[in-house]
Amino acid sequence: MRIAVIGAGNVGRAVGSGWIAKGLSVTWGVRDPESDHGVAPCKTVAEAVTDADVVVLAVMFHSIEAALVECGDLNGKVLIDPTNPLTPDGDGLALSLGFETSSAEFIAARTNARVVKSLNQVGATVLADPDGYAVRPIQFVAGDDAEAKALVASLVEDLGFEVRDAGPLRAARLLEPLAMVWIDQAMRYGMPADRAWALVDRQ
């Protein structure tokens, strides 16, 4: 399993490092691989995706189209979308898409990869370390390709999360607002960045 993580920001570093710790092969695709990004190995975006089975588009929403151009042909590859379509809103952030589309559908319309939505519902602090919670944190996955969705579910479980199938890719219209609740709580109301979503069974 070869994974290309596009972007070496907080989310990209968190998930890529988590998979490396599980013994998976990860390469980060960045614009300047000679710079110190705090992770390795780094290559150009095009080089990173060439041999990858899975591509993680860990970039800001406004950078999606440029990143996809740098990726080139992704036919047959699985693309994990952890993005949220955020825009400035006073002292916080707000969603710039919703109801009729989503960031995931925006991406799917611009690539021939098999797009699966996940890893967007909490911040990088949780993604980097899902251990130590009384109940295992959850991540939902959504996608139209059953094989791709099963593969992504397995990778998300490798990071330490419980995984539930949220349905087709259009269910990203639910998962991105779920992320917005977490973001809004963290940015406006002082919620600690290590708080996570979980499903709790009745005892």
Side-chain angles (χ1 to χ4, degrees), residues 128-149:
D129 185 14
D131 295 330
Y133 293 90
V135 178
R136 188 159 57 129
I138 192 166
Q139 280 289 299
F140 293 94
V141 299
D144 295 331
D145 184 302
E147 182 182 37
K149 187 160 54 173

Side-chain angles (χ1 to χ4, degrees), residues 46-60:
E47 290 170 339
V49 304
T50 297
D51 297 322
D53 305 296
V54 176
V55 176
V56 184
L57 200 61
V59 300
M60 301 295 288

Side-chain angles (χ1 to χ4, degrees), residues 37-90:
H37 297 281
V39 288
C42 290
K43 297 182 179 180
T44 67
V45 172
E47 290 170 339
V49 304
T50 297
D51 297 322
D53 305 296
V54 176
V55 176
V56 184
L57 200 61
V59 300
M60 301 295 288
F61 178 73
H62 66 265
S63 300
I64 284 173
E65 290 182 291
L68 288 174
V69 170
E70 291 186 68
C71 285
D73 184 15
L74 296 176
N75 186 41
K77 298 182 188 293
V78 175
L79 188 153
I80 302 176
D81 167 32
T83 69
N84 288 300
L86 302 175
T87 188
D89 180 41

Side-chain angles (χ1 to χ4, degrees), residues 111-123:
T111 180
N112 51 5
R114 297 180 288 165
V115 179
V116 179
K117 186 77 182 185
S118 194
L119 299 174
N120 71 303
Q121 298 137 52
V122 293

Side-chain angles (χ1 to χ4, degrees), residues 134-173:
V135 178
R136 188 159 57 129
I138 192 166
Q139 280 289 299
F140 293 94
V141 299
D144 295 331
D145 184 302
E147 182 182 37
K149 187 160 54 173
L151 175 58
V152 173
S154 177
L155 288 172
V156 176
E157 286 180 340
D158 283 343
L159 291 174
F161 291 94
E162 177 185 356
V163 177
R164 286 194 63 85
D165 187 343
L169 193 64
R170 70 190 307 271
R173 302 177 196 182

